[in-house]
């Protein structure tokens, strides 16, 4: 599968996708855990605690701006809400502009034709299952302000070949890259501290991974069913690695050799 984007790709104005919906269809007020409006409208939260809805799932290309105008008033956009673009099958390419800080749970899950998403350095939080089952997503760069990648954020992204975590990321949550069968390259920062349960379960194309010395905990079955994994390069000592996996099985069927700074385990 080709992962490259044409330099001639034109992204439409996000504001043209906005729809002024009937009164009562989109609630306003204090934030809650869920921002979906009635009748399938989609809401994006703003710093002003006001929300607006639009009907989507028609455009292949989407730019989400740092601010937008609604009924003559300009509001900054800082959040993509829970489930906002869930199952928007037409989406191919998404660009989030600087200023957006939060991607809610399931925000882009099951966008089965999504090939690329550009995340700004302002992103601080990626929710559970945010990009789960994006079957054509090929590459992801996670900004360093995201300290924790939440559970199953990229699970079953079966075309994902490369993942780069920014300097500042500390935790890879449960099953973040679960069943990413095409994943070949993972770049981890020196700030990484914890790799949680089944984080890389079923990454059958992953042949080698380098773990920074900062990793202090690797949870159960983190690399289970990684059939091609031949080498784990740990930048710390053998004692540090054994401490990191103490009391858990990082993968019962794991046959990879572990090479540390002071030799092979």
């Amino acid at each position: 599968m080709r992962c490259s984007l044409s330099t001639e790709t034109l992204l439409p104005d996000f504001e043209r996708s906005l729809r002024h919906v009937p009164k009562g269809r989109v609630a306003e007020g204090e934030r809650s855990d869920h921002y979906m409006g009635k009748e399938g409208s989609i809401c994006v939260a703003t710093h002003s605690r006001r929300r607006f809805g639009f009907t989507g799932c028609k455009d292949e290309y989407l730019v989400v701006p740092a601010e937008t105008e609604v009924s003559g008033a300009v509001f900054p956009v800082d959040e993509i809400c829970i489930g906002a673009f869930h199952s928007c099958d037409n989406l191919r390419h998404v660009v989030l502009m600087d200023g957006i800080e939060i991607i809610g749970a399931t925000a882009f899950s099951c966008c089965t034709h999504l090939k690329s998403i550009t995340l700004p350095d302002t992103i601080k939080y990626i929710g559970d299952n945010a990009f789960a089952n994006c079957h054509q997503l090929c590459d992801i760069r996670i900004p360093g302000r995201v300290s924790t990648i939440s559970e199953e954020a990229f699970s079953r992204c079966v075309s994902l070949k490369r993942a780069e975590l920014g300097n500042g990321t500390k935790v890879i949550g449960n099953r973040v890259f679960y069943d990413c069968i095409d994943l070949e390259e993972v770049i981890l920062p020196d700030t990484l501290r914890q790799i949680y349960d089944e984080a890389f379960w079923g990454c059958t194309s992953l042949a080698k991974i380098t773990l920074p010395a900062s990793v202090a905990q690797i949870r159960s079955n983190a690399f289970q069913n990684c059939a091609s994994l031949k080498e784990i390069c740990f930048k710390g000592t053998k004692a540090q690695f054994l401490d990191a996996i103490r009391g858990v099985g990082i993968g019962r069927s794991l046959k990879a050799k572990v090479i540390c700074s002071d030799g092979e385990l």
Side-chain angles (χ1 to χ4, degrees), residues 10-110:
L10 297 178
L11 299 173
D13 185 352
F14 172 77
E15 293 183 16
R16 294 176 184 173
S17 297
L18 293 175
R19 300 290 185 269
H20 294 290
V21 295
K23 183 177 180 181
R25 184 169 166 188
V26 179
E28 296 180 4
E30 295 296 314
R31 293 188 181 190
S32 65
D33 290 333
H34 201 272
Y35 300 110
M36 295 300 292
K38 297 178 181 178
E39 302 174 26
S41 64
I42 303 171
C43 308
V44 179
T46 67
H47 282 301
S48 64
R49 297 175 182 258
R50 184 182 175 93
R51 301 193 290 273
F52 57 86
F54 65 95
T55 56
C57 302
K58 295 181 180 179
D59 292 325
E60 292 186 7
Y61 306 98
L62 179 68
V63 176
V64 181
E67 61 181 27
T68 193
E69 182 176 334
V70 181
S71 301
V74 176
F75 297 96
V77 177
D78 76 321
E79 182 173 347
I80 308 299
C81 71
I82 294 172
F85 297 97
H86 173 73
S87 294
C88 286
D89 288 338
N90 286 342
L91 278 180
R92 302 299 195 270
H93 309 290
V94 175
V95 175
L96 306 184
M97 301 301 288
D98 281 345
I100 297 172
E101 299 178 350
I102 296 171
I103 300 175
T106 69
F108 292 95
S109 63
C110 298

Side-chain angles (χ1 to χ4, degrees), residues 206-228:
L206 189 64
K208 179 181 178 180
I209 190 168
T210 298
L211 306 179
S214 58
V215 172
Q217 186 178 44
I218 303 173
R219 298 283 294 271
S220 297
N221 297 314
F223 298 99
Q224 179 74 3
N225 291 341
C226 293
S228 299

